[in-house]
Amino acid sequence: LLDRAESRNLTVTVGMWLGHVRHGFSWTDPTKIEEQRAMVRRTVRENRHRPGALMWALGNEMEIDNDNPTLWKEIEALARIVKEEDGTRPVMTVVAELSREKAKMLD
């Protein structure tokens, strides 16, 4: 995808899929957490010098069916990893929707 974008002088948000409870991922399993952190670090390292990488995105609606505040702490840890590997681009996450209750968990 980055090759195609770069060949057209476009930039894209590089998305990194994060675990979902409904797919069997556990946000409290240390092994799964470390595997996910390694994937995020590897993805950024492999693509941080690509001109087609506009920014980094963590997730996609991984908070659905998961009201565990540990998830948000881990998202923050993953964002720190991204910034350690590439401090030049923004990092974001994608949530399903932002209710007042969910916003309170982000504090």
Side-chain angles (χ1 to χ4, degrees):
L1 181 61
L2 279 171
D3 289 338
R4 288 178 57 205
E6 290 167 0
S7 74
R8 292 165 175 79
N9 293 317
L10 298 173
T11 58
V12 298
T13 300
V14 178
M16 292 169 268
W17 183 264
L18 299 183
H20 288 236
V21 171
R22 67 182 182 272
H23 298 149
F25 187 83
S26 172
W27 287 87
T28 57
D29 179 334
T31 301
K32 295 292 184 189
I33 294 296
E34 285 306 315
E35 289 172 356
Q36 186 162 258
R37 287 178 180 183
M39 176 275 296
V40 166
R41 191 175 300 278
R42 183 176 58 253
T43 301
V44 177
R45 283 182 178 171
E46 290 173 357
N47 296 290
R48 64 185 169 197
H49 299 296
R50 302 288 304 261
L54 174 66
M55 63 188 306
W56 308 104
L58 297 168
N60 191 22
E61 301 178 353
M62 62 280 148
E63 83 287 0
I64 295 176
D65 300 328
N66 185 8
D67 59 359
N68 187 339
T70 303
L71 173 138
W72 301 111
K73 288 181 173 68
E74 184 56 25
I75 298 296
E76 180 64 28
L78 293 170
R80 282 193 298 274
I81 289 170
V82 173
K83 292 310 251 179
E84 286 170 10
E85 297 298 330
D86 179 7
T88 67
R89 291 183 179 91
V91 59
M92 60 175 267
T93 193
V94 180
V95 297
E97 89 311 304
L98 191 57
S99 64
R100 283 194 171 137
E101 293 77 26
K102 192 180 295 182
K104 288 177 186 176
M105 285 193 284
L106 300 176
D107 229 353

